[in-house]
Protein backbone atom coordinates (compact mmCIF):
# COMPACT_ATOMS: atom_id res chain seq x y z
CA UNK A 1 0.00 0.00 0.00
CA UNK A 2 1.09 3.53 -0.59
CA UNK A 3 2.32 4.95 2.69
CA UNK A 4 0.89 8.39 2.24
CA UNK A 5 -2.56 6.94 1.50
CA UNK A 6 -2.71 4.56 4.38
CA UNK A 7 -1.74 6.87 7.21
CA UNK A 8 1.02 4.49 8.24
CA UNK A 9 4.43 6.02 8.02
CA UNK A 10 7.98 5.04 8.70
CA UNK A 11 9.97 7.56 10.67
CA UNK A 12 13.35 7.56 8.96
CA UNK A 13 16.31 5.80 7.46
CA UNK A 14 20.00 6.15 8.27
CA UNK A 15 23.14 5.44 6.28
CA UNK A 16 26.80 5.87 7.12
CA UNK A 17 30.21 5.02 5.66
CA UNK A 18 33.72 5.24 7.08
CA UNK A 19 36.92 5.34 5.05
CA UNK A 20 35.89 5.74 1.40
CA UNK A 21 37.09 8.52 -0.95
CA UNK A 22 33.55 8.91 -2.38
CA UNK A 23 31.82 8.97 1.02
CA UNK A 24 29.28 11.70 0.19
CA UNK A 25 28.29 10.22 -3.17
CA UNK A 26 27.92 6.72 -1.71
CA UNK A 27 25.80 8.13 1.12
CA UNK A 28 23.63 9.88 -1.48
CA UNK A 29 23.01 6.53 -3.24
CA UNK A 30 22.43 4.81 0.09
CA UNK A 31 19.86 7.41 1.14
CA UNK A 32 18.19 7.21 -2.25
CA UNK A 33 17.58 3.49 -1.73
CA UNK A 34 16.09 4.28 1.71
CA UNK A 35 13.82 7.02 0.36
CA UNK A 36 10.68 4.93 1.07
CA UNK A 37 11.44 5.37 4.80
CA UNK A 38 11.06 9.13 4.70
CA UNK A 39 10.38 11.82 2.14
CA UNK A 40 10.23 15.02 4.15
CA UNK A 41 13.89 15.82 4.41
CA UNK A 42 17.38 14.49 3.81
CA UNK A 43 20.84 15.37 5.04
CA UNK A 44 24.46 14.32 4.83
CA UNK A 45 27.36 15.20 7.14
CA UNK A 46 30.89 14.45 5.88
CA UNK A 47 34.15 14.30 7.77
CA UNK A 48 37.50 14.98 6.17
CA UNK A 49 39.25 14.11 9.40
CA UNK A 50 39.48 17.70 10.56
CA UNK A 51 36.13 19.28 10.01
CA UNK A 52 32.52 18.15 9.72
CA UNK A 53 30.47 19.66 6.94
CA UNK A 54 26.68 19.40 6.69
CA UNK A 55 24.21 19.74 3.85
CA UNK A 56 20.53 19.12 4.38
CA UNK A 57 17.16 20.27 3.21
CA UNK A 58 13.48 19.54 2.99
CA UNK A 59 12.21 17.22 0.26
CA UNK A 60 13.37 14.10 -1.52
CA UNK A 61 17.03 13.08 -1.74
CA UNK A 62 17.08 14.09 -5.42
CA UNK A 63 15.59 17.48 -4.53
CA UNK A 64 18.01 18.23 -1.69
CA UNK A 65 21.22 17.14 -3.46
CA UNK A 66 22.61 17.49 -6.95
CA UNK A 67 25.96 16.63 -8.53
CA UNK A 68 27.44 20.06 -7.77
CA UNK A 69 26.40 20.02 -4.11
CA UNK A 70 27.67 16.48 -3.53
CA UNK A 71 31.05 17.34 -5.15
CA UNK A 72 31.53 20.05 -2.54
CA UNK A 73 31.13 17.57 0.33
CA UNK A 74 34.75 16.51 0.73
CA UNK A 75 35.66 13.75 3.12
CA UNK A 76 36.21 10.04 3.44
CA UNK A 77 33.43 9.43 5.95
CA UNK A 78 29.80 10.43 6.09
CA UNK A 79 26.48 9.82 7.78
CA UNK A 80 23.10 10.57 6.24
CA UNK A 81 19.44 10.56 7.08
CA UNK A 82 16.04 10.59 5.39
CA UNK A 83 13.12 11.85 7.41
CA UNK A 84 9.43 11.15 7.08
CA UNK A 85 6.83 13.93 6.86
CA UNK A 86 5.13 14.63 10.17
CA UNK A 87 1.65 16.09 10.30
CA UNK A 88 3.00 19.27 11.85
CA UNK A 89 5.46 19.83 9.02
CA UNK A 90 8.66 19.70 11.04
CA UNK A 91 10.76 22.32 9.28
CA UNK A 92 14.42 22.38 8.36
CA UNK A 93 15.57 22.53 12.00
CA UNK A 94 14.28 18.99 12.47
CA UNK A 95 16.00 17.56 9.38
CA UNK A 96 18.94 15.34 10.38
CA UNK A 97 21.82 14.66 10.81
CA UNK A 98 22.17 17.22 13.60
CA UNK A 99 25.61 18.78 13.88
CA UNK A 100 26.85 20.05 17.25
CA UNK A 101 30.07 22.04 17.42
CA UNK A 102 31.94 22.62 20.67
CA UNK A 103 35.45 23.45 21.84
CA UNK A 104 36.14 19.73 22.14
CA UNK A 105 35.21 19.03 18.51
CA UNK A 106 32.09 18.30 16.50
CA UNK A 107 29.47 15.62 16.79
CA UNK A 108 26.98 14.64 14.08
CA UNK A 109 23.92 12.60 14.98
CA UNK A 110 21.32 10.69 12.94
CA UNK A 111 18.50 8.68 14.49
CA UNK A 112 15.80 6.26 13.43
CA UNK A 113 13.17 5.43 16.06
CA UNK A 114 11.40 7.13 18.92
CA UNK A 115 12.61 7.71 22.48
CA UNK A 116 9.61 7.02 24.73
CA UNK A 117 11.01 8.86 27.76
CA UNK A 118 12.25 11.85 25.70
CA UNK A 119 9.76 14.24 27.25
CA UNK A 120 10.74 13.37 30.81
CA UNK A 121 14.46 13.61 29.98
CA UNK A 122 13.93 16.90 28.18
CA UNK A 123 12.23 18.47 31.20
CA UNK A 124 15.06 17.23 33.40
CA UNK A 125 17.75 18.58 31.05
CA UNK A 126 15.99 21.93 30.64
CA UNK A 127 15.80 22.26 34.41
CA UNK A 128 19.59 21.77 34.43
CA UNK A 129 20.05 24.55 31.86
CA UNK A 130 20.03 22.76 28.49
CA UNK A 131 18.58 24.71 25.60
CA UNK A 132 17.03 22.65 22.82
CA UNK A 133 17.30 23.80 19.21
CA UNK A 134 14.73 21.40 17.77
CA UNK A 135 11.52 19.60 18.77
CA UNK A 136 13.15 16.27 17.91
CA UNK A 137 13.65 13.61 20.58
CA UNK A 138 17.05 12.90 18.98
CA UNK A 139 18.62 16.02 20.42
CA UNK A 140 18.15 14.58 23.92
CA UNK A 141 21.04 12.20 23.30
CA UNK A 142 23.42 15.06 22.43
CA UNK A 143 22.54 16.88 25.67
CA UNK A 144 22.90 13.72 27.75
CA UNK A 145 26.35 13.13 26.25
CA UNK A 146 27.37 16.70 26.96
CA UNK A 147 26.14 16.62 30.56
CA UNK A 148 27.75 13.27 31.36
CA UNK A 149 30.67 13.52 33.76
CA UNK A 150 32.73 10.92 31.88
CA UNK A 151 35.91 11.89 30.06
CA UNK A 152 35.89 9.81 26.87
CA UNK A 153 33.14 10.09 24.29
CA UNK A 154 32.77 6.33 24.39
CA UNK A 155 31.90 6.38 28.11
CA UNK A 156 29.76 9.50 27.74
CA UNK A 157 27.76 7.82 25.00
CA UNK A 158 27.34 4.51 26.82
CA UNK A 159 26.17 6.34 29.92
CA UNK A 160 23.71 8.43 27.89
CA UNK A 161 22.33 5.42 26.03
CA UNK A 162 21.45 3.63 29.27
CA UNK A 163 19.14 6.54 30.14
CA UNK A 164 17.11 6.26 26.92
CA UNK A 165 14.03 4.07 26.64
CA UNK A 166 12.34 3.11 23.41
CA UNK A 167 13.53 2.53 19.89
CA UNK A 168 16.75 3.91 18.54
CA UNK A 169 19.19 3.16 15.79
CA UNK A 170 21.80 5.90 16.14
CA UNK A 171 24.67 6.90 13.91
CA UNK A 172 27.13 9.36 15.45
CA UNK A 173 30.22 10.77 13.82
CA UNK A 174 33.13 12.87 15.02
CA UNK A 175 36.26 13.90 13.14
CA UNK A 176 37.92 10.60 14.11
CA UNK A 177 35.26 7.92 14.50
CA UNK A 178 31.77 6.74 13.69
CA UNK A 179 29.60 5.18 16.39
CA UNK A 180 26.59 2.96 15.82
CA UNK A 181 24.13 2.11 18.60
CA UNK A 182 20.98 0.00 18.66
CA UNK A 183 18.46 -0.07 21.53
CA UNK A 184 18.35 -3.12 23.85
CA UNK A 185 15.29 -4.51 22.00
CA UNK A 186 16.72 -3.91 18.53
CA UNK A 187 13.35 -2.49 17.50
CA UNK A 188 14.52 -0.90 14.27
CA UNK A 189 16.62 -2.76 11.69
CA UNK A 190 20.28 -1.80 11.28
CA UNK A 191 22.97 -3.65 9.35
CA UNK A 192 26.70 -3.43 8.70
CA UNK A 193 28.21 -3.79 5.23
CA UNK A 194 31.63 -3.50 3.66
CA UNK A 195 32.81 -1.99 0.41
CA UNK A 196 36.52 -2.57 -0.13
CA UNK A 197 38.16 -1.59 3.16
CA UNK A 198 35.34 0.78 4.10
CA UNK A 199 32.56 -0.17 6.50
CA UNK A 200 29.03 1.07 5.92
CA UNK A 201 25.87 1.00 8.04
CA UNK A 202 22.28 1.18 6.83
CA UNK A 203 18.71 0.87 8.05
CA UNK A 204 18.13 -1.70 5.32
CA UNK A 205 20.35 -4.06 3.37
CA UNK A 206 18.92 -2.81 0.04
CA UNK A 207 21.28 0.16 0.48
CA UNK A 208 24.28 -2.20 0.30
CA UNK A 209 23.15 -3.75 -2.98
CA UNK A 210 22.82 -0.32 -4.59
CA UNK A 211 26.42 0.67 -3.75
CA UNK A 212 27.97 -2.75 -4.36
CA UNK A 213 28.75 -3.42 -0.69
CA UNK A 214 28.85 -6.85 0.91
CA UNK A 215 26.51 -7.52 3.82
CA UNK A 216 28.59 -8.23 6.95
CA UNK A 217 26.02 -8.67 9.73
CA UNK A 218 23.09 -7.12 11.56
CA UNK A 219 23.73 -4.84 14.53
CA UNK A 220 22.62 -6.65 17.69
CA UNK A 221 20.25 -5.26 20.35
CA UNK A 222 22.14 -3.22 22.95
CA UNK A 223 25.30 -3.15 20.84
CA UNK A 224 27.64 -0.20 20.39
CA UNK A 225 29.94 -0.38 17.37
CA UNK A 226 32.86 1.98 16.88
CA UNK A 227 34.35 2.31 13.42
CA UNK A 228 37.58 4.25 12.85
CA UNK A 229 40.72 4.00 10.74
CA UNK A 230 41.80 0.93 12.73
CA UNK A 231 38.62 -0.99 11.83
CA UNK A 232 35.47 -2.05 13.63
CA UNK A 233 35.16 -2.59 17.35
CA UNK A 234 32.02 -3.77 19.15
CA UNK A 235 30.94 -3.68 22.79
CA UNK A 236 27.63 -4.16 24.58
CA UNK A 237 26.26 -1.16 26.49
CA UNK A 238 22.98 -2.52 27.86
CA UNK A 239 22.71 -4.54 31.07
CA UNK A 240 20.06 -6.79 29.53
CA UNK A 241 18.74 -7.21 26.01
CA UNK A 242 15.68 -8.87 24.52
CA UNK A 243 15.20 -8.89 20.77
CA UNK A 244 11.92 -7.32 19.57
CA UNK A 245 12.42 -6.31 15.95
CA UNK A 246 9.45 -4.43 14.51
CA UNK A 247 7.14 -6.92 12.77
CA UNK A 248 5.74 -4.19 10.52
CA UNK A 249 9.17 -3.95 8.87
CA UNK A 250 8.46 -7.43 7.45
CA UNK A 251 4.79 -6.72 6.75
CA UNK A 252 4.99 -3.30 5.17
CA UNK A 253 7.86 -0.87 5.74
CA UNK A 254 11.04 -2.41 4.40
CA UNK A 255 11.79 -2.82 0.74
CA UNK A 256 11.12 -6.33 -0.62
CA UNK A 257 14.78 -6.71 -1.63
CA UNK A 258 16.01 -6.07 1.94
CA UNK A 259 16.84 -8.85 4.38
CA UNK A 260 16.10 -8.43 8.07
CA UNK A 261 17.98 -10.80 10.37
CA UNK A 262 18.58 -13.14 7.46
CA UNK A 263 14.98 -13.20 6.22
CA UNK A 264 14.19 -11.69 2.86
CA UNK A 265 11.25 -9.29 3.09
CA UNK A 266 9.62 -10.36 -0.19
CA UNK A 267 9.86 -14.03 0.81
CA UNK A 268 8.34 -13.29 4.23
CA UNK A 269 5.46 -11.35 2.63
CA UNK A 270 4.84 -14.12 0.11
CA UNK A 271 4.67 -16.67 2.95
CA UNK A 272 2.24 -14.41 4.82
CA UNK A 273 0.04 -14.41 1.69
CA UNK A 274 0.22 -18.21 1.51
CA UNK A 275 -0.70 -18.57 5.16
CA UNK A 276 -3.53 -16.07 4.71
CA UNK A 277 -4.98 -18.14 1.84
CA UNK A 278 -4.97 -21.22 4.09
CA UNK A 279 -6.73 -19.31 6.86
CA UNK A 280 -9.25 -17.49 4.60
CA UNK A 281 -10.37 -20.36 2.31
CA UNK A 282 -12.32 -18.12 -0.09
CA UNK A 283 -13.71 -19.18 -3.44
CA UNK A 284 -12.92 -16.52 -6.08
CA UNK A 285 -11.83 -15.94 -9.71
CA UNK A 286 -8.83 -13.63 -9.34
CA UNK A 287 -6.39 -12.42 -6.68
CA UNK A 288 -5.01 -8.91 -6.83
CA UNK A 289 -2.69 -6.96 -4.55
CA UNK A 290 -2.68 -3.29 -3.62
CA UNK A 291 0.59 -1.90 -5.02
CA UNK A 292 3.39 -1.84 -4.03
CA UNK A 293 3.87 -3.48 -0.65
CA UNK A 294 1.00 -5.99 -0.94
CA UNK A 295 2.05 -7.52 -4.26
CA UNK A 296 4.34 -10.12 -2.67
CA UNK A 297 1.58 -11.29 -0.29
CA UNK A 298 -0.95 -11.38 -3.15
CA UNK A 299 1.37 -13.57 -5.24
CA UNK A 300 1.77 -15.93 -2.27
CA UNK A 301 -1.98 -15.99 -1.72
CA UNK A 302 -2.69 -16.81 -5.39
CA UNK A 303 -0.03 -19.55 -5.46
CA UNK A 304 -1.37 -21.20 -2.33
CA UNK A 305 -5.07 -20.91 -3.26
CA UNK A 306 -4.56 -21.97 -6.89
CA UNK A 307 -6.40 -18.83 -8.08
CA UNK A 308 -4.76 -16.70 -10.81
CA UNK A 309 -2.92 -13.56 -9.70
CA UNK A 310 -3.85 -10.58 -11.85
CA UNK A 311 -2.94 -6.91 -11.92
CA UNK A 312 -6.33 -5.62 -10.82
CA UNK A 313 -5.03 -2.32 -9.46
CA UNK A 314 -2.51 -0.01 -11.06
CA UNK A 315 -0.49 2.62 -9.27
CA UNK A 316 0.02 5.86 -11.12
CA UNK A 317 3.75 6.41 -10.69
CA UNK A 318 3.74 9.89 -12.14
CA UNK A 319 1.68 11.65 -9.51
CA UNK A 320 3.89 14.14 -7.73
CA UNK A 321 4.87 13.63 -4.12
CA UNK A 322 2.14 14.62 -1.73
CA UNK A 323 2.47 15.13 1.98
CA UNK A 324 0.08 13.51 4.40
CA UNK A 325 -3.27 15.06 3.76
CA UNK A 326 -4.79 16.81 6.76
CA UNK A 327 -8.41 15.90 6.09
CA UNK A 328 -10.32 12.77 5.24
CA UNK A 329 -11.75 14.17 2.00
CA UNK A 330 -8.34 15.17 0.68
CA UNK A 331 -7.03 11.74 1.55
CA UNK A 332 -9.80 10.19 -0.48
CA UNK A 333 -8.97 12.38 -3.45
CA UNK A 334 -5.39 11.26 -3.14
CA UNK A 335 -6.44 7.64 -3.43
CA UNK A 336 -8.29 8.33 -6.65
CA UNK A 337 -5.28 10.01 -8.12
CA UNK A 338 -2.85 7.30 -7.27
CA UNK A 339 -4.68 4.00 -7.76
CA UNK A 340 -6.82 2.81 -10.64
CA UNK A 341 -8.68 -0.47 -11.12
CA UNK A 342 -8.12 -2.51 -14.28
CA UNK A 343 -11.66 -3.02 -15.59
CA UNK A 344 -10.69 -5.82 -17.98
CA UNK A 345 -9.32 -7.84 -15.06
CA UNK A 346 -12.03 -7.35 -12.44
CA UNK A 347 -15.26 -6.94 -14.44
CA UNK A 348 -17.76 -9.71 -13.67
CA UNK A 349 -15.21 -11.45 -11.38
CA UNK A 350 -15.13 -12.49 -7.77
CA UNK A 351 -12.02 -10.60 -6.64
CA UNK A 352 -9.75 -11.26 -3.67
CA UNK A 353 -8.02 -8.00 -2.83
CA UNK A 354 -4.91 -8.56 -0.71
CA UNK A 355 -3.59 -5.67 1.33
CA UNK A 356 -0.94 -5.64 4.07
CA UNK A 357 -2.86 -3.75 6.76
CA UNK A 358 -5.85 -1.59 7.59
CA UNK A 359 -5.19 1.54 9.63
CA UNK A 360 -8.17 3.90 9.47
CA UNK A 361 -10.17 1.94 6.89
CA UNK A 362 -10.72 4.93 4.64
CA UNK A 363 -8.41 3.71 1.91
CA UNK A 364 -9.76 0.16 1.97
CA UNK A 365 -13.29 1.51 1.55
CA UNK A 366 -12.19 3.61 -1.42
CA UNK A 367 -10.47 0.68 -3.12
CA UNK A 368 -13.41 -1.68 -2.57
CA UNK A 369 -15.74 0.94 -4.08
CA UNK A 370 -13.33 1.45 -6.98
CA UNK A 371 -13.28 -2.29 -7.74
CA UNK A 372 -17.07 -2.51 -7.59
CA UNK A 373 -17.42 0.52 -9.89
CA UNK A 374 -15.10 -1.27 -12.31
CA UNK A 375 -17.55 -4.19 -12.38
CA UNK A 376 -16.23 -6.63 -9.75
CA UNK A 377 -19.03 -9.07 -8.79
CA UNK A 378 -17.65 -9.71 -5.31
CA UNK A 379 -14.77 -8.09 -3.40
CA UNK A 380 -13.13 -10.14 -0.66
CA UNK A 381 -10.56 -8.22 1.36
CA UNK A 382 -7.72 -10.30 2.81
CA UNK A 383 -5.18 -8.58 5.07
CA UNK A 384 -1.73 -10.14 5.44
CA UNK A 385 -1.36 -9.02 9.08
CA UNK A 386 -3.61 -9.11 12.18
CA UNK A 387 -5.92 -6.20 13.11
CA UNK A 388 -3.88 -3.18 14.19
CA UNK A 389 -5.46 -2.21 17.49
CA UNK A 390 -2.77 -0.22 19.30
CA UNK A 391 -0.62 2.79 18.45
CA UNK A 392 3.11 2.43 17.91
CA UNK A 393 5.42 4.40 20.20
CA UNK A 394 8.60 3.27 18.48
CA UNK A 395 8.91 5.52 15.48
CA UNK A 396 6.04 4.42 13.25
CA UNK A 397 3.18 6.82 12.86
CA UNK A 398 0.26 4.37 13.10
CA UNK A 399 -2.23 6.95 14.42
CA UNK A 400 -3.87 7.06 17.81
CA UNK A 401 -6.24 4.52 19.37
CA UNK A 402 -9.19 6.67 18.26
CA UNK A 403 -8.08 6.64 14.63
CA UNK A 404 -7.27 2.94 14.41
CA UNK A 405 -10.42 1.32 13.08
CA UNK A 406 -9.63 -2.10 14.60
CA UNK A 407 -9.26 -0.69 18.10
CA UNK A 408 -12.94 0.20 18.22
CA UNK A 409 -14.62 -2.19 15.80
CA UNK A 410 -15.00 -5.93 15.29
CA UNK A 411 -13.89 -7.59 12.04
CA UNK A 412 -17.54 -7.84 10.97
CA UNK A 413 -18.11 -4.14 11.68
CA UNK A 414 -15.01 -3.21 9.69
CA UNK A 415 -16.17 -5.43 6.80
CA UNK A 416 -19.42 -3.56 6.73
CA UNK A 417 -17.71 -0.16 6.97
CA UNK A 418 -15.39 -0.84 4.04
CA UNK A 419 -18.20 -2.45 2.01
CA UNK A 420 -16.47 -5.79 1.35
CA UNK A 421 -18.20 -9.15 0.82
CA UNK A 422 -15.81 -10.70 3.30
CA UNK A 423 -12.85 -9.57 5.39
CA UNK A 424 -10.09 -11.81 6.71
CA UNK A 425 -7.05 -10.83 8.77
CA UNK A 426 -4.01 -13.08 9.13
CA UNK A 427 -3.69 -14.51 12.66
CA UNK A 428 -0.76 -13.53 14.90
CA UNK A 429 0.46 -17.14 15.00
CA UNK A 430 0.07 -17.46 11.24
CA UNK A 431 2.07 -14.28 10.71
CA UNK A 432 4.90 -15.43 12.99
CA UNK A 433 4.98 -18.84 11.32
CA UNK A 434 5.11 -17.22 7.88
CA UNK A 435 7.94 -14.83 8.77
CA UNK A 436 9.79 -17.82 10.17
CA UNK A 437 12.21 -16.24 12.63
CA UNK A 438 13.69 -18.87 14.95
CA UNK A 439 11.98 -18.84 18.36
CA UNK A 440 14.06 -18.19 21.47
CA UNK A 441 12.18 -20.28 24.04
CA UNK A 442 8.78 -18.64 24.29
CA UNK A 443 10.12 -15.46 22.76
CA UNK A 444 9.41 -14.76 19.11
CA UNK A 445 12.04 -12.00 19.02
CA UNK A 446 9.59 -9.61 17.37
CA UNK A 447 7.59 -6.61 18.52
CA UNK A 448 3.86 -7.30 18.09
CA UNK A 449 2.61 -4.40 20.19
CA UNK A 450 0.37 -2.79 17.57
CA UNK A 451 -1.49 -6.10 17.27
CA UNK A 452 -1.38 -7.44 20.82
CA UNK A 453 -0.84 -4.37 23.03
CA UNK A 454 2.21 -6.00 24.67
CA UNK A 455 4.86 -3.30 24.40
CA UNK A 456 8.45 -4.49 24.78
CA UNK A 457 9.43 -1.39 26.79
CA UNK A 458 7.86 0.69 29.49
CA UNK A 459 5.53 3.36 28.06
CA UNK A 460 5.51 6.65 29.97
CA UNK A 461 2.36 8.69 30.59
CA UNK A 462 3.84 11.53 28.54
CA UNK A 463 5.28 9.37 25.77
CA UNK A 464 4.84 11.25 22.55
CA UNK A 465 3.49 9.58 19.42
CA UNK A 466 5.59 10.31 16.31
CA UNK A 467 2.98 12.64 14.75
CA UNK A 468 2.59 14.54 18.02
CA UNK A 469 6.28 15.42 18.25
CA UNK A 470 5.80 18.98 17.14
CA UNK A 471 3.70 19.59 20.24
CA UNK A 472 6.51 18.84 22.64
CA UNK A 473 8.18 22.18 22.50
S1 LIG B 1 4.26 -1.41 17.71
FE1 LIG B 1 4.02 -2.31 15.64
S2 LIG B 1 4.84 -0.76 14.23
FE2 LIG B 1 5.59 -0.27 16.29
S3 LIG B 1 7.59 -1.25 16.48
FE3 LIG B 1 6.07 -2.67 17.31
S4 LIG B 1 5.50 -3.97 15.55
FE4 LIG B 1 6.52 -2.15 14.74
Amino acid sequence: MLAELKGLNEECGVFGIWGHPDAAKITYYGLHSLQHRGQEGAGIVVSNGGRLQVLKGEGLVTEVFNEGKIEKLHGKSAIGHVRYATAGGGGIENVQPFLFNSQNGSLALAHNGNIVNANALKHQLEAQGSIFQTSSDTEVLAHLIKRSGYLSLNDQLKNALTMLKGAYAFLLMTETEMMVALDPNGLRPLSIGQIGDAYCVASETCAFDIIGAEFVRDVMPGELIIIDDRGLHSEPFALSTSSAICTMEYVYFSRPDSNIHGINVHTARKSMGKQLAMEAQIDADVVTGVPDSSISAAIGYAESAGIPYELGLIKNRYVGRTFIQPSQSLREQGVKMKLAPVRGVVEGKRVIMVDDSIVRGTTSRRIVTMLREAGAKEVHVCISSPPMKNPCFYGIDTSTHEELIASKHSVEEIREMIGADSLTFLSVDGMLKAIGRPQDGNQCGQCLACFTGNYPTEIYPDTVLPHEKELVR
Side-chain angles (χ1 to χ4, degrees):
M1 167 64 70
L2 306 159
E4 63 273 35
L5 301 186
K6 193 188 278 281
L8 191 58
N9 301 282
E10 176 61 66
E11 269 279 79
C12 340
V14 292
F15 182 89
I17 183 153
W18 187 269
H20 195 287
D22 286 325
K25 208 169 233 178
I26 285 182
T27 304
Y28 168 83
Y29 293 131
L31 291 182
H32 192 256
S33 71
L34 299 174
Q35 187 75 84
H36 58 288
R37 300 183 74 88
Q39 298 93 43
E40 185 197 32
I44 296 177
V45 173
V46 286
S47 166
N48 64 9
R51 192 171 63 95
L52 299 192
Q53 203 187 338
V54 62
L55 181 62
K56 57 186 181 178
E58 291 179 275
L60 299 172
V61 172
T62 49
E63 292 167 343
V64 175
F65 304 102
N66 58 33
E67 190 101 35
K69 287 179 180 170
I70 289 287
E71 302 266 294
K72 285 186 190 137
L73 292 175
H74 303 294
K76 63 175 186 56
S77 305
I79 63 170
H81 190 267
V82 284
R83 184 174 192 270
Y84 122 87
T86 56
I92 184 73
E93 75 273 14
N94 283 322
V95 178
Q96 301 186 28
F98 295 138
L99 180 56
F100 304 94
N101 293 308
S102 75
Q103 284 167 340
N104 305 327
S106 308
L107 176 70
L109 188 53
H111 171 216
N112 176 29
N114 194 42
I115 311 293
V116 296
N117 62 339
N119 234 0
L121 290 170
K122 224 168 180 178
H123 291 318
Q124 231 171 292
L125 286 159
E126 277 173 345
Q128 291 164 7
S130 291
I131 298 169
F132 283 81
Q133 295 166 24
T134 71
S135 57
S136 163
D137 58 331
T138 309
E139 206 187 330
V140 168
L141 179 66
H143 288 271
L144 287 175
I145 290 172
K146 212 168 167 212
R147 295 210 159 258
S148 150
Y150 291 89
L151 287 177
S152 75
L153 177 60
N154 189 310
D155 288 338
Q156 289 169 356
L157 176 59
K158 280 197 285 188
N159 179 257
L161 291 171
T162 56
M163 298 168 79
L164 302 180
K165 306 276 182 244
Y168 53 85
F170 277 117
L171 294 192
L172 296 91
M173 190 173 69
T174 68
E175 291 82 350
T176 53
E177 59 190 346
M178 182 162 88
M179 282 153 286
V180 181
L182 189 61
D183 69 73
N185 296 111
L187 275 150
R188 304 259 69 87
L190 194 62
S191 305
I192 304 277
Q194 196 165 10
I195 175 167
D197 291 334
Y199 282 106
C200 45
V201 190
S203 291
E204 285 184 43
T205 60
C206 65
F208 301 151
D209 301 329
I210 290 279
I211 60 165
E214 292 287 322
F215 168 78
V216 175
R217 67 174 176 89
D218 294 302
V219 180
M220 300 314 290
E223 184 179 15
L224 171 65
I225 294 175
I226 294 132
I227 303 170
D228 60 19
D229 290 342
R230 289 167 299 179
L232 183 148
H233 165 81
S234 157
E235 51 187 289
F237 67 84
L239 288 176
S240 70
T241 61
S242 170
S243 176
I245 179 89
C246 169
T247 297
M248 285 304 288
E249 293 282 354
Y250 290 105
V251 171
Y252 169 70
F253 297 120
S254 291
R255 252 174 56 162
D257 52 337
S258 288
N259 299 331
I260 308 171
H261 291 239
I263 295 168
N264 171 252
V265 172
H266 162 74
T267 310
R269 285 181 191 161
K270 207 172 152 191
S271 304
M272 286 184 246
K274 284 185 179 177
Q275 180 69 29
L276 180 59
M278 287 190 268
E279 294 184 13
Q281 297 286 340
I282 291 165
D283 208 10
D285 304 310
V286 289
V287 176
T288 194
V290 182
D292 290 321
S293 56
S294 309
I295 302 289
S296 304
I299 293 171
Y301 190 112
E303 235 177 74
S304 168
I307 300 171
Y309 168 78
E310 295 284 358
L311 222 58
L313 289 160
I314 297 287
K315 177 178 165 185
N316 184 353
R317 294 177 193 283
Y318 305 104
V319 173
R321 176 172 58 102
T322 51
F323 289 107
I324 297 166
Q325 304 293 346
S327 72
Q328 205 85 319
S329 62
L330 280 176
R331 223 176 267 131
E332 290 183 22
Q333 276 177 31
V335 174
K336 271 187 231 156
M337 271 163 57
K338 288 173 183 170
L339 279 181
V342 182
R343 184 173 284 274
V345 167
V346 302
E347 196 166 25
K349 304 269 176 57
R350 295 169 301 164
V351 179
I352 292 175
M353 180 200 111
V354 177
D355 201 354
D356 46 65
S357 49
I358 295 184
V359 181
R360 299 184 185 100
T362 324
T363 311
S364 305
R365 195 182 66 232
R366 279 295 316 150
I367 300 173
V368 171
T369 308
M370 225 185 250
L371 290 168
R372 286 201 196 283
E373 284 170 359
K377 208 159 72 182
E378 292 173 17
V379 181
H380 300 274
V381 176
C382 290
I383 305 295
S384 60
S385 64
M388 197 176 268
K389 297 180 175 174
N390 309 283
C392 173
F393 295 98
Y394 304 125
I396 308 298
D397 182 1
T398 54
S399 307
T400 58
H401 261 124
E402 289 63 44
E403 291 166 325
L404 290 168
I405 193 168
S407 87
K408 293 244 174 326
H409 298 280
S410 67
V411 174
E412 176 51 24
E413 283 168 349
I414 302 171
R415 181 203 64 75
E416 216 179 310
M417 289 161 90
I418 64 173
D421 290 283
S422 75
L423 171 64
T424 312
F425 286 91
L426 182 60
S427 65
V428 171
D429 287 347
M431 179 175 68
L432 290 175
K433 191 173 145 203
I435 294 172
R437 270 176 64 97
Q439 291 267 131
D440 180 9
N442 281 336
Q443 302 291 316
C444 66
Q446 290 174 224
C447 175
L448 297 165
C450 46
F451 311 115
T452 62
N454 296 325
Y455 292 92
T457 72
E458 215 173 313
I459 299 297
Y460 294 74
D462 60 352
T463 293
V464 178
L465 286 168
H467 70 283
E468 293 169 335
K469 274 187 188 174
E470 311 311 322
L471 304 177
V472 180
R473 282 191 106 169

